[in-house]
Amino acid sequence: QVQLVESGGGLVQAGGSLRVSCVVSGRTFSRSGMGWFRQAQGKEREFVAAISWSGGSLYYADSVRGRFTISRDNAKNTVYLQMNSLKPDDTAVYYCASSPNIRAEITTGAYDYWGQGTQVTVSS
């Protein structure tokens, strides 16, 4: 059974930083492209960042490029999202997702397993 467990969300003031993590079990993590998505209240889930199996390909949404960094540690089956210079508009539930492909993917349909989400709240 494939499981994704996120952690590290919380409340932070605007301009602050947070790092969220996602541990994957039940599949060969090193062969899985990984992504982070977010969903704000009343809005659709949107792409944030993606990373290929080796970390050699990275994609970011325009809204977070230059502020967020996605990375992975294949030895720990873990993907990270470092979030700096946070803004109130970054407030959302953040989800990690695992793809059966090795590529970095930016669409929700490319991912077959999802975590339960972790809340990130940025106060002004």
Side-chain angles (χ1 to χ4, degrees):
Q1 182 180 1
V2 180
Q3 289 188 319
L4 284 70
V5 180
E6 298 108 334
S7 61
L11 174 64
V12 64
Q13 288 187 333
S17 297
L18 276 177
R19 188 178 79 161
V20 291
S21 304
C22 173
V23 179
V24 180
S25 60
R27 83 179 335 169
T28 305
F29 179 76
S30 60
R31 294 185 177 275
S32 175
M34 296 295 299
W36 285 98
F37 292 77
R38 67 186 181 186
Q39 188 166 16
Q41 192 170 4
K43 296 186 177 181
E44 293 187 353
R45 191 169 299 189
E46 65 175 3
F47 168 74
V48 175
I51 186 168
S52 62
W53 68 281
S54 66
S57 293
L58 306 174
Y59 296 114
Y60 295 97
D62 289 344
S63 59
V64 307
R65 187 175 292 112
R67 300 187 297 122
F68 289 12
T69 302
I70 188 172
S71 61
R72 66 188 295 157
D73 185 339
N74 286 346
K76 295 182 178 180
N77 287 6
T78 302
V79 62
Y80 305 97
L81 185 68
Q82 176 67 43
M83 303 181 287
N84 298 329
S85 302
L86 282 161
K87 305 175 182 179
D89 284 350
D90 295 319
T91 295
V93 177
Y94 283 71
Y95 299 90
C96 68
S98 175
S99 169
N101 303 315
I102 61 173
R103 299 181 300 274
E105 305 279 1
I106 67 171
T107 60
T108 58
Y111 295 90
D112 57 353
Y113 288 99
W114 294 79
Q116 81 287 353
T118 185
Q119 177 71 46
V120 172
T121 302
V122 185
S123 63
S124 57

